[in-house]
């Protein structure tokens, strides 16, 4: 099983028919001070599996800071049924992981790493920028 779509968005949903709806794709956040708290992040993933991969799978998502330190870890299970005969049994399963009030201690490159059954599938970067003007504030 593999991840064929991975991104960060302001919001995302999966409707009853399995259609993925995404609003506000981004890969960078500006903050005026650190630590910075971001109100909401949706990690959007789509898993693809073949007929032989139907069944249960372990999924791990890790958010790492610029030094590679673990900020957040989410572990879960996903069960994939066989896809329709017309697709040769392949199936695509969209998932949205909503995270509230994430805290970023300093500017730099963060990354959401996604593993399936212990095998790394994808890394989704997130860049935190210091929004303060270079050189500080001008004095009158």
């Amino acid at each position: 099983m593999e991840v064929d779509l991975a991104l960060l968005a302001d919001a995302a949903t999966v409707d009853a028919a399995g259609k993925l709806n995404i609003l506000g794709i981004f890969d960078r956040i500006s903050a005026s001070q650190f630590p910075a708290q971001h109100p909401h992040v949706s990690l959007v993933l789509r898993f693809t599996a073949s007929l032989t991969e139907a069944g249960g799978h372990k999924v791990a998502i890790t958010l790492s800071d610029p030094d590679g330190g673990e900020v957040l870890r989410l572990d879960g299970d996903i069960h994939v049924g066989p896809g329709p005969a017309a697709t040769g049994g392949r199936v695509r399963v969209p998932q949205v992981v909503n995270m509230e009030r994430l805290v970023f201690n300093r500017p730099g490159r963060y990354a959401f790493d996604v593993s399936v059954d212990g095998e790394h599938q994808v890394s989704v970067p997130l860049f935190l920028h210091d929004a303060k003007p270079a050189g500080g504030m001008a004095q009158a």
Side-chain angles (χ1 to χ4, degrees), residues 93-118:
V93 181
Q95 295 287 305
V96 176
V97 180
N98 292 305
M99 293 165 276
E100 307 293 328
R101 297 180 291 282
L102 289 177
V103 175
F104 301 96
N105 286 325
R106 61 183 175 63
R109 183 188 188 278
Y110 291 75
F112 289 90
D113 290 297
V114 181
S115 298
V116 177
D117 296 328

PDB file of all heavy atoms in Angstrom, residues 93-118:
ATOM      1  N   VAL A  93      -8.132   5.237  -1.052  1.00  0.00           N
ATOM      2  CA  VAL A  93      -8.824   5.570   0.193  1.00  0.00           C
ATOM      3  C   VAL A  93      -8.340   6.924   0.688  1.00  0.00           C
ATOM      4  O   VAL A  93      -7.215   7.047   1.177  1.00  0.00           O
ATOM      5  CB  VAL A  93      -8.565   4.485   1.265  1.00  0.00           C
ATOM      6  CG1 VAL A  93      -9.302   4.819   2.545  1.00  0.00           C
ATOM      7  CG2 VAL A  93      -8.946   3.103   0.748  1.00  0.00           C
ATOM      8  N   PRO A  94      -9.180   7.978   0.569  1.00  0.00           N
ATOM      9  CA  PRO A  94      -8.777   9.291   1.085  1.00  0.00           C
ATOM     10  C   PRO A  94      -8.970   9.369   2.597  1.00  0.00           C
ATOM     11  O   PRO A  94      -9.919   8.800   3.141  1.00  0.00           O
ATOM     12  CB  PRO A  94      -9.716  10.257   0.353  1.00  0.00           C
ATOM     13  CG  PRO A  94     -10.923   9.451   0.039  1.00  0.00           C
ATOM     14  CD  PRO A  94     -10.469   8.024  -0.122  1.00  0.00           C
ATOM     15  N   GLN A  95      -8.054  10.077   3.243  1.00  0.00           N
ATOM     16  CA  GLN A  95      -8.123  10.284   4.695  1.00  0.00           C
ATOM     17  C   GLN A  95      -7.737  11.731   5.001  1.00  0.00           C
ATOM     18  O   GLN A  95      -6.834  12.281   4.369  1.00  0.00           O
ATOM     19  CB  GLN A  95      -7.148   9.363   5.441  1.00  0.00           C
ATOM     20  CG  GLN A  95      -7.451   7.896   5.314  1.00  0.00           C
ATOM     21  CD  GLN A  95      -8.661   7.517   6.137  1.00  0.00           C
ATOM     22  OE1 GLN A  95      -8.716   7.772   7.321  1.00  0.00           O
ATOM     23  NE2 GLN A  95      -9.638   6.910   5.493  1.00  0.00           N
ATOM     24  N   VAL A  96      -8.412  12.320   5.987  1.00  0.00           N
ATOM     25  CA  VAL A  96      -8.082  13.667   6.439  1.00  0.00           C
ATOM     26  C   VAL A  96      -7.779  13.589   7.927  1.00  0.00           C
ATOM     27  O   VAL A  96      -8.580  13.074   8.702  1.00  0.00           O
ATOM     28  CB  VAL A  96      -9.252  14.650   6.183  1.00  0.00           C
ATOM     29  CG1 VAL A  96      -8.915  16.027   6.747  1.00  0.00           C
ATOM     30  CG2 VAL A  96      -9.587  14.724   4.703  1.00  0.00           C
ATOM     31  N   VAL A  97      -6.603  14.089   8.318  1.00  0.00           N
ATOM     32  CA  VAL A  97      -6.200  14.135   9.716  1.00  0.00           C
ATOM     33  C   VAL A  97      -6.223  15.606  10.131  1.00  0.00           C
ATOM     34  O   VAL A  97      -5.414  16.405   9.652  1.00  0.00           O
ATOM     35  CB  VAL A  97      -4.799  13.535   9.922  1.00  0.00           C
ATOM     36  CG1 VAL A  97      -4.406  13.596  11.394  1.00  0.00           C
ATOM     37  CG2 VAL A  97      -4.736  12.105   9.401  1.00  0.00           C
ATOM     38  N   ASN A  98      -7.177  15.956  10.984  1.00  0.00           N
ATOM     39  CA  ASN A  98      -7.317  17.336  11.453  1.00  0.00           C
ATOM     40  C   ASN A  98      -6.562  17.517  12.765  1.00  0.00           C
ATOM     41  O   ASN A  98      -6.733  16.722  13.687  1.00  0.00           O
ATOM     42  CB  ASN A  98      -8.792  17.684  11.644  1.00  0.00           C
ATOM     43  CG  ASN A  98      -9.523  17.750  10.327  1.00  0.00           C
ATOM     44  OD1 ASN A  98      -9.120  18.470   9.431  1.00  0.00           O
ATOM     45  ND2 ASN A  98     -10.591  16.990  10.189  1.00  0.00           N
ATOM     46  N   MET A  99      -5.741  18.570  12.806  1.00  0.00           N
ATOM     47  CA  MET A  99      -4.944  18.857  13.998  1.00  0.00           C
ATOM     48  C   MET A  99      -5.200  20.292  14.426  1.00  0.00           C
ATOM     49  O   MET A  99      -5.134  21.203  13.602  1.00  0.00           O
ATOM     50  CB  MET A  99      -3.461  18.630  13.700  1.00  0.00           C
ATOM     51  CG  MET A  99      -3.151  17.167  13.437  1.00  0.00           C
ATOM     52  SD  MET A  99      -1.540  16.927  12.667  1.00  0.00           S
ATOM     53  CE  MET A  99      -1.974  17.192  10.950  1.00  0.00           C
ATOM     54  N   GLU A 100      -5.474  20.476  15.697  1.00  0.00           N
ATOM     55  CA  GLU A 100      -5.803  21.794  16.251  1.00  0.00           C
ATOM     56  C   GLU A 100      -4.658  22.320  17.111  1.00  0.00           C
ATOM     57  O   GLU A 100      -4.016  21.565  17.831  1.00  0.00           O
ATOM     58  CB  GLU A 100      -7.059  21.696  17.128  1.00  0.00           C
ATOM     59  CG  GLU A 100      -8.260  21.055  16.448  1.00  0.00           C
ATOM     60  CD  GLU A 100      -8.833  21.879  15.320  1.00  0.00           C
ATOM     61  OE1 GLU A 100      -8.760  23.122  15.406  1.00  0.00           O
ATOM     62  OE2 GLU A 100      -9.325  21.288  14.348  1.00  0.00           O
ATOM     63  N   ARG A 101      -4.435  23.621  17.016  1.00  0.00           N
ATOM     64  CA  ARG A 101      -3.508  24.347  17.882  1.00  0.00           C
ATOM     65  C   ARG A 101      -2.104  23.730  17.954  1.00  0.00           C
ATOM     66  O   ARG A 101      -1.543  23.570  19.026  1.00  0.00           O
ATOM     67  CB  ARG A 101      -4.110  24.511  19.272  1.00  0.00           C
ATOM     68  CG  ARG A 101      -5.377  25.355  19.270  1.00  0.00           C
ATOM     69  CD  ARG A 101      -5.991  25.534  20.629  1.00  0.00           C
ATOM     70  NE  ARG A 101      -6.571  24.336  21.206  1.00  0.00           N
ATOM     71  CZ  ARG A 101      -7.743  23.819  20.881  1.00  0.00           C
ATOM     72  NH1 ARG A 101      -8.485  24.395  19.971  1.00  0.00           N
ATOM     73  NH2 ARG A 101      -8.207  22.740  21.460  1.00  0.00           N
ATOM     74  N   LEU A 102      -1.534  23.422  16.782  1.00  0.00           N
ATOM     75  CA  LEU A 102      -0.158  22.936  16.760  1.00  0.00           C
ATOM     76  C   LEU A 102       0.789  24.061  17.165  1.00  0.00           C
ATOM     77  O   LEU A 102       0.608  25.204  16.757  1.00  0.00           O
ATOM     78  CB  LEU A 102       0.217  22.439  15.368  1.00  0.00           C
ATOM     79  CG  LEU A 102      -0.427  21.142  14.909  1.00  0.00           C
ATOM     80  CD1 LEU A 102      -0.008  20.836  13.471  1.00  0.00           C
ATOM     81  CD2 LEU A 102      -0.037  19.999  15.824  1.00  0.00           C
ATOM     82  N   VAL A 103       1.808  23.720  17.939  1.00  0.00           N
ATOM     83  CA  VAL A 103       2.782  24.707  18.407  1.00  0.00           C
ATOM     84  C   VAL A 103       4.121  24.444  17.720  1.00  0.00           C
ATOM     85  O   VAL A 103       4.615  23.309  17.710  1.00  0.00           O
ATOM     86  CB  VAL A 103       2.943  24.652  19.942  1.00  0.00           C
ATOM     87  CG1 VAL A 103       4.041  25.590  20.400  1.00  0.00           C
ATOM     88  CG2 VAL A 103       1.621  24.992  20.618  1.00  0.00           C
ATOM     89  N   PHE A 104       4.692  25.506  17.166  1.00  0.00           N
ATOM     90  CA  PHE A 104       5.990  25.452  16.500  1.00  0.00           C
ATOM     91  C   PHE A 104       6.937  26.356  17.280  1.00  0.00           C
ATOM     92  O   PHE A 104       6.699  27.552  17.408  1.00  0.00           O
ATOM     93  CB  PHE A 104       5.845  25.922  15.045  1.00  0.00           C
ATOM     94  CG  PHE A 104       4.869  25.090  14.269  1.00  0.00           C
ATOM     95  CD1 PHE A 104       3.548  25.493  14.132  1.00  0.00           C
ATOM     96  CD2 PHE A 104       5.262  23.888  13.705  1.00  0.00           C
ATOM     97  CE1 PHE A 104       2.636  24.728  13.422  1.00  0.00           C
ATOM     98  CE2 PHE A 104       4.360  23.109  12.998  1.00  0.00           C
ATOM     99  CZ  PHE A 104       3.040  23.529  12.860  1.00  0.00           C
ATOM    100  N   ASN A 105       8.003  25.769  17.823  1.00  0.00           N
ATOM    101  CA  ASN A 105       8.885  26.503  18.732  1.00  0.00           C
ATOM    102  C   ASN A 105       9.773  27.533  18.061  1.00  0.00           C
ATOM    103  O   ASN A 105      10.169  28.514  18.699  1.00  0.00           O
ATOM    104  CB  ASN A 105       9.743  25.524  19.535  1.00  0.00           C
ATOM    105  CG  ASN A 105       8.927  24.836  20.599  1.00  0.00           C
ATOM    106  OD1 ASN A 105       8.022  25.438  21.182  1.00  0.00           O
ATOM    107  ND2 ASN A 105       9.221  23.570  20.846  1.00  0.00           N
ATOM    108  N   ARG A 106      10.118  27.319  16.788  1.00  0.00           N
ATOM    109  CA  ARG A 106      10.983  28.268  16.108  1.00  0.00           C
ATOM    110  C   ARG A 106      10.810  28.146  14.602  1.00  0.00           C
ATOM    111  O   ARG A 106      10.227  27.182  14.122  1.00  0.00           O
ATOM    112  CB  ARG A 106      12.426  28.055  16.510  1.00  0.00           C
ATOM    113  CG  ARG A 106      12.993  26.706  16.187  1.00  0.00           C
ATOM    114  CD  ARG A 106      14.414  26.634  16.724  1.00  0.00           C
ATOM    115  NE  ARG A 106      15.068  25.365  16.608  1.00  0.00           N
ATOM    116  CZ  ARG A 106      15.364  24.735  15.499  1.00  0.00           C
ATOM    117  NH1 ARG A 106      15.031  25.218  14.354  1.00  0.00           N
ATOM    118  NH2 ARG A 106      16.000  23.584  15.507  1.00  0.00           N
ATOM    119  N   PRO A 107      11.326  29.130  13.861  1.00  0.00           N
ATOM    120  CA  PRO A 107      11.230  29.054  12.405  1.00  0.00           C
ATOM    121  C   PRO A 107      12.059  27.893  11.863  1.00  0.00           C
ATOM    122  O   PRO A 107      12.957  27.390  12.539  1.00  0.00           O
ATOM    123  CB  PRO A 107      11.801  30.387  11.920  1.00  0.00           C
ATOM    124  CG  PRO A 107      12.108  31.202  13.110  1.00  0.00           C
ATOM    125  CD  PRO A 107      11.976  30.344  14.323  1.00  0.00           C
ATOM    126  N   GLY A 108      11.767  27.490  10.644  1.00  0.00           N
ATOM    127  CA  GLY A 108      12.536  26.443   9.988  1.00  0.00           C
ATOM    128  C   GLY A 108      11.640  25.463   9.250  1.00  0.00           C
ATOM    129  O   GLY A 108      10.434  25.669   9.124  1.00  0.00           O
ATOM    130  N   ARG A 109      12.262  24.383   8.773  1.00  0.00           N
ATOM    131  CA  ARG A 109      11.553  23.362   8.013  1.00  0.00           C
ATOM    132  C   ARG A 109      11.077  22.254   8.944  1.00  0.00           C
ATOM    133  O   ARG A 109      11.883  21.578   9.580  1.00  0.00           O
ATOM    134  CB  ARG A 109      12.456  22.768   6.939  1.00  0.00           C
ATOM    135  CG  ARG A 109      11.746  21.729   6.060  1.00  0.00           C
ATOM    136  CD  ARG A 109      12.741  21.030   5.134  1.00  0.00           C
ATOM    137  NE  ARG A 109      12.105  20.178   4.163  1.00  0.00           N
ATOM    138  CZ  ARG A 109      11.698  18.932   4.409  1.00  0.00           C
ATOM    139  NH1 ARG A 109      11.853  18.403   5.607  1.00  0.00           N
ATOM    140  NH2 ARG A 109      11.129  18.214   3.457  1.00  0.00           N
ATOM    141  N   TYR A 110       9.775  22.083   9.004  1.00  0.00           N
ATOM    142  CA  TYR A 110       9.154  20.980   9.720  1.00  0.00           C
ATOM    143  C   TYR A 110       8.703  19.959   8.672  1.00  0.00           C
ATOM    144  O   TYR A 110       8.645  20.281   7.481  1.00  0.00           O
ATOM    145  CB  TYR A 110       7.955  21.475  10.530  1.00  0.00           C
ATOM    146  CG  TYR A 110       8.339  22.349  11.712  1.00  0.00           C
ATOM    147  CD1 TYR A 110       8.755  23.660  11.521  1.00  0.00           C
ATOM    148  CD2 TYR A 110       8.290  21.854  13.010  1.00  0.00           C
ATOM    149  CE1 TYR A 110       9.112  24.466  12.598  1.00  0.00           C
ATOM    150  CE2 TYR A 110       8.645  22.646  14.091  1.00  0.00           C
ATOM    151  CZ  TYR A 110       9.057  23.948  13.875  1.00  0.00           C
ATOM    152  OH  TYR A 110       9.414  24.733  14.939  1.00  0.00           O
ATOM    153  N   ALA A 111       8.399  18.743   9.095  1.00  0.00           N
ATOM    154  CA  ALA A 111       7.947  17.738   8.132  1.00  0.00           C
ATOM    155  C   ALA A 111       6.993  16.753   8.784  1.00  0.00           C
ATOM    156  O   ALA A 111       7.212  16.326   9.928  1.00  0.00           O
ATOM    157  CB  ALA A 111       9.136  16.977   7.547  1.00  0.00           C
ATOM    158  N   PHE A 112       5.934  16.434   8.059  1.00  0.00           N
ATOM    159  CA  PHE A 112       5.024  15.356   8.425  1.00  0.00           C
ATOM    160  C   PHE A 112       5.471  14.127   7.647  1.00  0.00           C
ATOM    161  O   PHE A 112       5.428  14.123   6.413  1.00  0.00           O
ATOM    162  CB  PHE A 112       3.578  15.692   8.041  1.00  0.00           C
ATOM    163  CG  PHE A 112       2.958  16.770   8.876  1.00  0.00           C
ATOM    164  CD1 PHE A 112       3.051  18.097   8.502  1.00  0.00           C
ATOM    165  CD2 PHE A 112       2.262  16.442  10.032  1.00  0.00           C
ATOM    166  CE1 PHE A 112       2.468  19.098   9.267  1.00  0.00           C
ATOM    167  CE2 PHE A 112       1.681  17.438  10.815  1.00  0.00           C
ATOM    168  CZ  PHE A 112       1.780  18.764  10.421  1.00  0.00           C
ATOM    169  N   ASP A 113       5.953  13.104   8.344  1.00  0.00           N
ATOM    170  CA  ASP A 113       6.383  11.864   7.703  1.00  0.00           C
ATOM    171  C   ASP A 113       5.326  10.798   7.920  1.00  0.00           C
ATOM    172  O   ASP A 113       4.857  10.603   9.045  1.00  0.00           O
ATOM    173  CB  ASP A 113       7.731  11.400   8.265  1.00  0.00           C
ATOM    174  CG  ASP A 113       8.851  12.323   7.821  1.00  0.00           C
ATOM    175  OD1 ASP A 113       9.091  12.401   6.608  1.00  0.00           O
ATOM    176  OD2 ASP A 113       9.459  12.974   8.689  1.00  0.00           O
ATOM    177  N   VAL A 114       4.958  10.116   6.830  1.00  0.00           N
ATOM    178  CA  VAL A 114       3.905   9.110   6.874  1.00  0.00           C
ATOM    179  C   VAL A 114       4.508   7.757   6.527  1.00  0.00           C
ATOM    180  O   VAL A 114       5.163   7.599   5.488  1.00  0.00           O
ATOM    181  CB  VAL A 114       2.767   9.452   5.891  1.00  0.00           C
ATOM    182  CG1 VAL A 114       1.660   8.404   5.965  1.00  0.00           C
ATOM    183  CG2 VAL A 114       2.213  10.847   6.173  1.00  0.00           C
ATOM    184  N   SER A 115       4.270   6.773   7.406  1.00  0.00           N
ATOM    185  CA  SER A 115       4.718   5.396   7.185  1.00  0.00           C
ATOM    186  C   SER A 115       3.520   4.468   7.188  1.00  0.00           C
ATOM    187  O   SER A 115       2.564   4.680   7.939  1.00  0.00           O
ATOM    188  CB  SER A 115       5.696   4.954   8.273  1.00  0.00           C
ATOM    189  OG  SER A 115       6.849   5.757   8.264  1.00  0.00           O
ATOM    190  N   VAL A 116       3.590   3.439   6.356  1.00  0.00           N
ATOM    191  CA  VAL A 116       2.571   2.398   6.323  1.00  0.00           C
ATOM    192  C   VAL A 116       3.267   1.064   6.576  1.00  0.00           C
ATOM    193  O   VAL A 116       4.225   0.726   5.881  1.00  0.00           O
ATOM    194  CB  VAL A 116       1.830   2.371   4.972  1.00  0.00           C
ATOM    195  CG1 VAL A 116       0.816   1.237   4.941  1.00  0.00           C
ATOM    196  CG2 VAL A 116       1.153   3.709   4.701  1.00  0.00           C
ATOM    197  N   ASP A 117       2.804   0.363   7.590  1.00  0.00           N
ATOM    198  CA  ASP A 117       3.388  -0.937   7.971  1.00  0.00           C
ATOM    199  C   ASP A 117       4.902  -0.832   8.172  1.00  0.00           C
ATOM    200  O   ASP A 117       5.665  -1.703   7.770  1.00  0.00           O
ATOM    201  CB  ASP A 117       3.050  -2.009   6.933  1.00  0.00           C
ATOM    202  CG  ASP A 117       1.562  -2.273   6.847  1.00  0.00           C
ATOM    203  OD1 ASP A 117       0.870  -2.152   7.880  1.00  0.00           O
ATOM    204  OD2 ASP A 117       1.065  -2.591   5.742  1.00  0.00           O
ATOM    205  N   GLY A 118       5.333   0.278   8.790  1.00  0.00           N
ATOM    206  CA  GLY A 118       6.747   0.472   9.110  1.00  0.00           C
ATOM    207  C   GLY A 118       7.600   0.960   7.957  1.00  0.00           C
ATOM    208  O   GLY A 118       8.800   1.185   8.129  1.00  0.00           O
TER     209      GLY A 118
END
